[in-house]
Amino acid sequence: MDTPLSPDPLDTSEAQILLQLGFGKPLVAAMAERAARYGTTIEQELLGDGWIDPDAYYAALARMLRLPYLSQVNAEGVTDVSHLDSQLVQPATIRLQHARQAPVTVIVPEARRVPMILGMLNRLPDLRHSLAVAAGSTVRQAVWKAGAPRRLQQTIGNLFENNPKYSARIVLWGRQGFYTGVGVTTAALGTLIAPSLALLTLHVLMSSLYFISLWLKFFAIRYCREPSQPILPLPEKKDLPVYTVMVALYREATVAAQLVATLRRLNWPPSLLDIKLVCEADDRETIEALEALRPGPQFEIVKVPPMQPRTKPKALSYALPAARGEFLAIYDAEDRPHPDQLLEAYGRFAKAPQTLACVQAPLIITNARASWLSALFSLEYSALFRALLPMLARAGMPLPLGGTSNHFRTAVLRKAGGWDPYNVTEDADLGMRLYRLGYRADNVRHTLEDAPTTLKSWCGQRTRWYKGWLQTWLVMMRDPRQLVRDMGWKAFIVFQLMIGGMLVSSLAHPFILLFFFVTLVAMLDNPATDIHILAKTLFTIDIVNIFGSYSAFLAVGAAAMIHHEKKLVGWRWVLIPVYWMLVSFSAWRAVVELKTRPFFWHKTQHQPHAQAGPAKSARPYSHPQNVRVPR
């Protein structure tokens, strides 16, 4: 029996149109093979990898169709109708209104549909007077501008208006303000009426809460000794979905080249990558730095109109309606994710139930040698991302996500309401909200990141984090009984230990030290037989709290590190007590800012990594010399 011949990849309407436009047979055949492997079209492969200039390509299609070509579309002529944002995801057609002439429908034709369009125009030749052709990027630019006012209002108000219980727009909600006032008034009166009893009560309360929250870190030490989960084999690069990558940037011109070079190294077909570089519209320096790099067709610079609150989650939420991907990853400007991270995240999603809404990549600090702050920061991140969070994920507990290297199911992210534009630690809030809604999170390959090296930058960043954790705790605790019903008792306790315990230990640390030294002096001044059992007990708990917290910080962080990382930290672990006092300072500063400027975003300044490749590694979008561009 004869073996059936495989179909000729050039024997399709799409291939024939491309050949008529002047593309060579070898190039079309190669792109057809890639399209068959990735489940795309030949046209998508040609456009997605920068083989051709979109303007030249669509102008050639317009000439073939004998339709006018628009290199620019006046956004003022685009009516902001419902579902206009669908053209950001898949630009196909928009309608332009003119004051003195008939409306024009602008189309983004696909090569495979050109024969159909030609047949329609031959049957209805008068249609040529009301049609025009534009590139997809041109249509998107017009849609971004036309819908900006409405989109901005939706970004700021949607979560608050549709699910106000999840929004941090109101700092203290309902009874929270009343109970806070009662608590502060009672504490002040108690201190005035019975200062000794008030201080003793405060001592007992703080020491007990501090001691309880410490146990979560000891469990993390045990987790580090367990065998790690094997890394799953990467899925084949075949029939992959579109993957959106979002990076929110503000005043990041200095790291623009490093960022583009890093994102170009992601191991994912360029035709299936949707990279959004989300910038504030008035940040001209960053936008111009990115445009000068000409990063490629898979990149899109999204310009967010300036409006309060000026936060990262607001910028990300503004760009979310345009996400084309089935999955969506978030990175920071200074991040250097593992090239296979998207593949591993997709493989994890593909093998998991639909309740897995997010996977988090551990962040590894690479500049620990730069300063004592970055050295201790690396210990802290090691403990959090390689011990504590994986332990919680394995146990099916809620994860306070880090602000970067998160991968989401896009549909679930939209269903959950996206990011809260008013929460300045947006992903910790989102991680808790997703858990309440019945979703879970997991971990994948690492992302490299540099820690702040100056005290000003470190304190600003840490203040923002603690302010956001306070916002998250207040939002979650608006109705504790409902929270228990949503999460279950076990997860509720973990939430209190993770978020509440972190806040309590940071705020209480100076007082625990003060109580320790006051009690020590009092014990030295009195015979051992005269010391009350309560004083001895509290003194013992304070010793465990102070030295236990320092020891756990060092032990958990070091246990998850490789030998080289420990060498980078070196002797600077002895400065952990100083680091903890700075943490406490930032936490108290966050409490003050929660009242005075709750939505202020402390900007962390970033610099290119010292070992990063040169700017030329960000290959500019250009035409290969041996490829013929349609004329």
Side-chain angles (χ1 to χ4, degrees):
M1 183 177 179
D2 295 336
T3 304
L5 297 175
S6 59
D8 185 351
L10 300 183
D11 191 20
T12 64
S13 60
E14 181 185 30
Q16 291 302 312
I17 291 297
L18 293 172
L19 291 173
Q20 290 178 41
L21 286 174
F23 291 101
K25 285 186 177 181
L27 175 61
V28 175
M31 294 299 103
E33 182 182 347
R34 284 173 50 171
R37 183 164 67 250
Y38 297 148
T40 59
T41 65
I42 306 173
E43 183 179 62
Q44 284 177 295
E45 293 302 319
L46 285 168
L47 290 168
D49 205 19
W51 287 101
I52 52 176
D53 177 28
D55 276 317
Y57 175 72
Y58 283 104
L61 282 179
R63 287 192 292 273
M64 177 176 281
L65 294 168
R66 288 182 293 150
L67 292 174
Y69 176 71
L70 304 180
S71 58
Q72 291 183 336
V73 173
N74 184 4
E76 294 179 0
V78 179
T79 303
D80 187 19
V81 296
S82 60
H83 308 301
L84 179 66
D85 286 351
S86 65
Q87 298 302 308
L88 296 174
V89 177
Q90 185 60 53
T93 176
I94 57 172
R95 194 164 178 81
L96 285 180
Q97 303 290 339
H98 295 282
R100 299 181 180 179
Q101 63 186 67
V104 173
T105 300
V106 181
I107 63 172
V108 184
E110 296 180 69
R112 59 183 176 173
R113 302 188 187 279
V114 165
M116 181 194 71
I117 298 173
L118 280 171
M120 181 183 65
L121 291 174
N122 289 333
R123 292 192 307 272
L124 303 168
D126 289 342
L127 278 179
R128 297 185 187 277
H129 302 298
S130 59
L131 291 178
V133 173
S137 57
T138 303
V139 170
R140 277 198 298 268
Q141 289 175 10
V143 172
W144 277 119
K145 292 179 181 178
R150 181 260 311 160
R151 195 178 302 111
L152 194 59
Q153 291 298 329
Q154 289 177 344
T155 297
I156 294 171
N158 265 0
L159 185 65
F160 178 73
E161 292 168 4
N162 298 328
N163 288 291
K165 65 179 181 180
Y166 294 142
S167 173
R169 184 170 177 175
I170 298 176
V171 177
L172 293 173
W173 209 36
R175 290 171 294 181
Q176 288 180 324
F178 173 75
Y179 291 142
T180 300
V182 170
V184 171
T185 302
T186 302
L189 288 174
T191 303
L192 291 173
I193 297 171
S196 299
L197 180 60
L199 287 175
L200 178 61
T201 303
L202 181 64
H203 190 174
V204 171
L205 185 62
M206 282 191 171
S207 297
S208 301
L209 292 174
Y210 199 112
F211 183 75
I212 294 170
S213 67
L214 191 60
W215 281 100
L216 197 61
K217 297 174 183 177
F218 288 130
F219 282 123
I221 296 175
R222 179 183 174 185
Y223 172 84
C224 289
R225 295 174 180 172
E226 296 179 3
S228 59
Q229 290 180 308
I231 296 178
L232 297 175
L234 297 177
E236 295 184 10
K237 291 173 67 175
K238 182 179 180 181
D239 294 328
L240 297 174
V242 176
Y243 217 117
T244 293
V245 174
M246 283 190 185
V247 186
L249 302 104
Y250 182 57
R251 295 186 298 185
E252 298 287 10
T254 55
V255 296
Q258 174 184 287
L259 172 65
V260 172
T262 297
L263 295 178
R264 290 190 65 86
R265 287 193 288 268
L266 290 173
N267 187 12
W268 198 268
S271 58
L272 295 172
L273 262 182
D274 170 37
I275 302 177
K276 310 283 189 196
L277 305 177
V278 188
C279 304
E280 295 291 329
D282 55 3
D283 184 13
R284 292 305 311 167
E285 186 179 2
T286 301
I287 293 172
E288 289 170 3
L290 292 170
E291 290 175 340
L293 292 167
R294 302 170 67 201
Q298 68 268 43
F299 290 80
E300 181 181 13
I301 300 173
V302 178
K303 302 171 185 177
V304 183
M307 187 173 182
Q308 295 297 330
R310 299 287 287 265
T311 62
K312 172 184 172 183
K314 186 202 76 173
L316 293 176
S317 293
Y318 182 84
L320 183 58
R324 296 192 294 116
E326 181 181 347
F327 302 99
L328 185 151
I330 299 296
Y331 293 121
D332 278 347
E334 78 279 15
D335 287 349
R336 302 183 302 283
H338 192 288
D340 290 334
Q341 192 179 110
L342 300 190
L343 277 173
E344 186 180 353
Y346 170 64
R348 191 67 58 88
F349 280 123
K351 290 180 170 59
Q354 291 295 312
T355 52
L356 181 67
C358 174
V359 291
Q360 162 89 62
L363 303 178
I364 298 177
I365 300 302
T366 58
N367 66 335
R369 195 192 296 274
S371 72
W372 72 273
L373 276 173
S374 61
L376 296 183
F377 195 101
S378 68
L379 272 173
E380 186 178 19
Y381 259 36
S382 174
L384 178 63
F385 286 103
R386 287 184 269 173
L388 196 53
L389 293 185
M391 177 188 73
L392 295 176
R394 183 181 293 189
M397 292 292 103
L399 267 63
L401 302 172
T404 181
S405 296
N406 298 315
H407 300 251
F408 299 97
R409 295 186 193 271
T410 309
V412 172
L413 181 60
R414 287 174 172 149
K415 182 179 177 181
W419 297 271
D420 181 358
Y422 292 94
N423 192 309
V424 295
T425 309
E426 72 290 340
D427 282 312
D429 164 72
L430 182 57
M432 295 299 156
R433 194 189 327 147
L434 287 170
Y435 193 92
R436 290 189 72 171
L437 295 172
Y439 297 102
R440 298 296 176 263
D442 206 342
N443 294 273
V444 288
R445 290 179 195 240
H446 63 267
T447 291
L448 303 180
E449 185 173 277
D450 287 346
T453 56
T454 65
L455 192 59
K456 179 181 178 181
S457 182
W458 184 94
C459 284
Q461 183 187 69
R462 192 56 56 105
T463 298
R464 174 170 56 82
W465 288 357
Y466 275 100
K467 184 164 56 176
W469 288 328
L470 279 165
Q471 289 175 314
T472 300
W473 190 86
L474 289 170
V475 166
M476 295 283 284
M477 290 296 291
R478 284 170 173 170
D479 188 344
R481 287 179 293 183
Q482 183 60 48
L483 184 61
V484 172
R485 287 193 289 268
D486 291 343
M487 303 180 76
W489 273 107
K490 188 176 180 181
F492 177 81
I493 292 171
V494 168
F495 163 71
Q496 298 300 339
L497 291 176
M498 188 68 192
I499 300 296
M502 188 181 343
L503 294 168
V504 167
S505 59
S506 300
L507 294 170
H509 192 70
F511 297 97
I512 298 296
L513 286 173
L514 179 63
F515 290 142
F516 169 76
F517 285 113
V518 169
T519 306
L520 178 63
V521 171
M523 292 175 69
L524 290 175
D525 288 343
N526 293 283
T529 55
D530 293 343
I531 300 174
H532 195 275
I533 185 65
L534 179 59
K536 293 180 180 179
T537 302
L538 288 174
F539 184 72
T540 303
I541 293 175
D542 288 343
I543 292 176
V544 173
N545 284 340
I546 294 168
F547 295 101
S549 58
Y550 296 161
S551 301
F553 183 96
L554 176 61
V556 181
M561 283 181 164
I562 62 174
H563 179 68
H564 174 68
E565 291 176 288
K566 295 176 186 177
K567 286 181 64 178
L568 294 180
V569 174
W571 59 269
R572 288 171 289 190
W573 62 267
V574 300
L575 295 171
I576 288 176
V578 180
Y579 191 82
W580 269 72
M581 290 304 294
L582 288 174
V583 167
S584 184
F585 167 78
S586 300
W588 280 106
R589 184 183 176 193
V591 172
V592 174
E593 283 197 4
L594 192 65
K595 171 64 177 175
T596 58
R597 46 181 185 173
F599 314 125
F600 176 73
W601 187 278
H602 286 277
K603 166 65 184 164
T604 304
Q605 298 297 328
H606 301 119
Q607 295 296 326
H609 182 61
Q611 297 178 355
K616 66 181 181 181
S617 61
R619 179 170 64 88
Y621 174 30
S622 59
H623 310 302
Q625 296 299 316
N626 60 344
V627 176
R628 180 181 175 187
V629 180
R631 299 290 181 186

